[in-house]
Amino acid sequence: MVSLRAAVKTRRIRSAGVKLAAVCTVLLILGFAGFIGLLPSEEVALDRNADGIVVLTGGTSRVSDALELLAAGRGKRLLITGVNPGTTTGDIARQVVDYDRVLACCVDLDYSAQNTLGNAVQARRWALEHRFNSLIVVTSAYHMPRALAELAHQLPDVALIAFPVVSDHLRIEPWWSNGAMTRLVVSEYLKYLAAKVRMRFDILGNDAAASELPTPTVR
């Protein structure tokens, strides 16, 4: 038979658990609201140039926008990070026309990055190699907060300029009116939280992380 003291203790533990769950839920909701505030709703007009441009792969529009910025003289070189193995600048030129000249002279390809952390580590190596102090970051609007967080963690002394690529879905309708887009935004928020927690307790150091991946190459 359960004693009165044990029953009271169990009830207190359950009550504390419920309160903790409620607090965590509220914090998650508030954090999500803050995350939504970070999402760009439209593409921006850059008011300054940078030393380099970094585009995180995930869609042809990202690469084409980055090449357009490079051709316009917004940066000296472009790093395309997370490229599929075997892809060359010639392959990109066939998909994105009119940029043969800049692809031949000023574009570096990174094949090793498998995720946003890998993108940031490679961008760090590339920026340090070229002694760049400022970077234009090109990626999808929903991905921009996490990309900037990872890059800022790897390159705390480099100025980062966001150039978000806004999808047609976000142009036409708000994210919450589309189930697929809602799932994407919520998933990205959870990944953003996980990245922030990991970075908060990161004890490996940037140099150790960077040494694990090869240097981006020109192809």
Side-chain angles (χ1 to χ4, degrees), residues 9-37:
K9 183 178 180 180
T10 300
R11 181 176 298 178
R12 286 178 178 174
I13 292 174
R14 289 177 179 174
S15 177
V18 170
K19 290 179 180 178
L20 179 61
V23 170
C24 290
T25 300
V26 171
L27 290 177
L28 279 173
I29 293 173
L30 292 176
F32 184 66
F35 175 77
I36 293 301

Side-chain angles (χ1 to χ4, degrees), residues 109-157:
L109 304 182
D110 155 50
Y111 298 97
S112 59
Q114 300 295 317
N115 50 38
T116 306
L117 172 59
N119 295 143
V121 170
Q122 285 292 35
R124 176 179 184 270
R125 296 194 63 172
W126 182 77
L128 293 178
E129 178 186 354
H130 293 286
R131 299 183 180 180
F132 288 161
N133 295 311
S134 58
L135 297 174
I136 295 172
V137 181
V138 182
T139 190
S140 296
Y142 66 83
H143 186 226
M144 187 61 75
R146 184 159 59 103
L148 289 179
E150 294 283 15
L151 285 164
H153 185 64
Q154 294 291 330
L155 292 163
D157 298 323

Side-chain angles (χ1 to χ4, degrees), residues 179-192:
M181 186 59 66
T182 299
R183 289 190 294 272
L184 179 62
V185 171
V186 172
S187 173
E188 190 58 37
Y189 168 59
L190 296 177
K191 291 177 182 178
Y192 174 77

